[in-house]
Amino acid sequence: MSLSVDQHEAAGGAAESPGVVLRADALVKRFRVGPAIRSNYVSAVDGVSLDLRRGESLGIVGESGCGKTTLARMLVGLERPDGGTLRFRQRDVTAGRRADRRLLRKGVQMIFQDPYTSLDPRMTVGKLVTEPLAANRTMGARARRGRAGELLELVGLSVDMLDRFPHQFSGGQRQRIGVARALALDPDVLVCDEPVSALDVSVQAQVINLLRDLQRRLGVAIVFIAHDLSVVRHLTDRVAVMYLGRIAEIGDSDSIFEGPAHPYTRALLSASPSVDPARRGQLAQRVKLIGEPPSPIDPPVGCRFHPRCELAQDRCRTETPLLRVPADDTGTRRSACHFAEAVLTDAR
Ligand SMILES: Nc1ncnc2c1ncn2[C@@H]1O[C@H](COP(=O)(O)OP(=O)(O)O)[C@@H](O)[C@H]1O
Ligand code: SF4
Ligand SMILES: [Mg+2]
């Protein structure tokens, strides 16, 4: 685990910046896989540190299997970290105190990928939306129904839908119901795990715009996990690029999309159909993303990206790159590449 600690230290130590609502320090999650006698561990998340400030939006991108969902589940308290700490409103919510965990479960809500399986089909929309309120015993039944109506209107649905069941709604409407439910307890943070990837392309933009609108109107912070990089750029202030359980690059979205400082980010951009084709061509001349990511059961030593990186040198095969601000970079972006400066110069 010493490598994770390195990433953590490089991410800026323990000082609390003002306005930070959620802070992850060197979060680790392992899963046991395979038969009991010969089981292995998958390090799904291996030392991720990040901050989320009030009202901001942070994107998380990376290929499938790099740990995005596992990280999201730790951020909302659905999964307990095996290492590291999570602080919500300055309180350590990983230490196991029930009151603190409750605070997290109330203040940080998840919007799931698939609105077809995440809503109980036997409950009416009114019940679904206010179930979190009932569980917290904060309101009587009548007041809850009133609140349910308000929540539906907040997400662009109407009060007369309260007594319908999920199957009577389209995918886009169901995701709106999921958003309304997540907002019931007035959270500080919404964690959205690929919230539109199960939806029809024609309604994806509507749901994205709804989230953007809610972020502005309610001042709720959003963690937005997505495949489509142009959506992430459109929606987020900052972005974290993950590779095999770690952060490869993190910082201001515009800077990263304009000039990545990590070869993996560059490769993702060049492979993304939503990035401007001319720009993509420019990037693709320099970098190709070959093959699949290696298994997180036995990740490469040194830089985890080295087997797929065109710029890899001997040093990359032995020495783990720390997340650091590239020399001469003006912003706050950090990259975990030994040659971040060269990548950055090349991208400009
Ligand atoms: N409950 C689980 N048991 C075993 N392995 C898991 C479990 N959840 C996730 N993993 C593994 O952890 C890694 C990260 O998965 P995940 O967080 O779902 O990534 P992503 O959301 O980026 O696709 C993958 O290798 C996945 O197979
Ligand atoms: S540290 Fe080396 S292998 Fe890793 S991304 Fe940078 S150049 Fe590539
Ligand atoms: Mg996922």
Side-chain angles (χ1 to χ4, degrees), residues 148-283:
E150 280 172 23
L151 287 164
L152 287 189
E153 290 190 336
L154 195 60
V155 299
L157 297 173
S158 77
V159 183
D160 57 21
M161 296 171 170
L162 277 176
D163 296 317
R164 294 195 204 158
F165 290 89
H167 74 266
Q168 294 171 284
F169 292 87
S170 68
Q173 287 174 319
R174 284 189 217 198
Q175 200 54 305
R176 286 175 194 265
I177 296 167
V179 175
R181 182 180 156 92
L183 290 172
L185 294 172
D186 218 358
D188 296 288
V189 181
L190 284 183
V191 177
C192 312
D193 187 7
E194 304 201 36
V196 298
S197 59
L199 303 181
D200 224 57
V201 177
S202 60
V203 298
Q204 289 186 355
Q206 293 169 21
V207 174
I208 302 279
N209 288 337
L210 170 70
L211 290 170
R212 191 184 164 95
D213 181 48
L214 289 170
Q215 185 211 354
R216 289 186 180 156
R217 273 162 60 201
L218 307 177
V220 61
I222 290 193
V223 176
F224 187 81
I225 298 172
H227 256 91
D228 188 328
L229 297 183
S230 71
V231 169
V232 172
R233 181 169 187 179
H234 170 72
L235 197 74
T236 62
D237 307 311
R238 286 191 306 139
V239 64
V241 180
M242 283 185 71
Y243 189 74
L244 277 184
R246 292 193 179 155
I247 291 179
E249 182 167 10
I250 183 167
D252 169 67
S253 302
D254 286 336
S255 317
I256 287 184
F257 285 102
E258 286 298 322
H262 194 289
Y264 180 60
T265 314
R266 202 160 76 172
L268 274 186
L269 286 171
S270 71
S272 167
S274 59
V275 172
D276 165 39
R279 177 85 182 114
R280 213 162 65 218
Q282 252 175 8
L283 291 162

Side-chain angles (χ1 to χ4, degrees), residues 29-34 41-45 60-73 79 113 193-194 225 227 242 244-245 294-297:
K29 184 73 200 177
R30 292 184 219 99
F31 294 109
R32 194 194 281 268
V33 290
Y41 284 100
V42 176
S43 289
V45 172
I60 299 180
V61 299
E63 284 160 294
S64 165
C66 69
K68 303 181 297 295
T69 295
T70 306
L71 176 62
R73 291 175 61 83
E79 205 80 73
Q113 182 165 1
D193 187 7
E194 304 201 36
I225 298 172
H227 256 91
M242 283 185 71
L244 277 184
S295 161
I297 295 177

Side-chain angles (χ1 to χ4, degrees), residues 65-95:
C66 69
K68 303 181 297 295
T69 295
T70 306
L71 176 62
R73 291 175 61 83
M74 286 194 281
L75 295 180
V76 301
L78 286 174
E79 205 80 73
R80 264 189 181 226
D82 295 311
T85 51
L86 182 67
R87 283 191 187 81
F88 173 59
R89 298 164 98 181
Q90 335 268 319
R91 285 222 236 163
D92 182 348
V93 289
T94 34

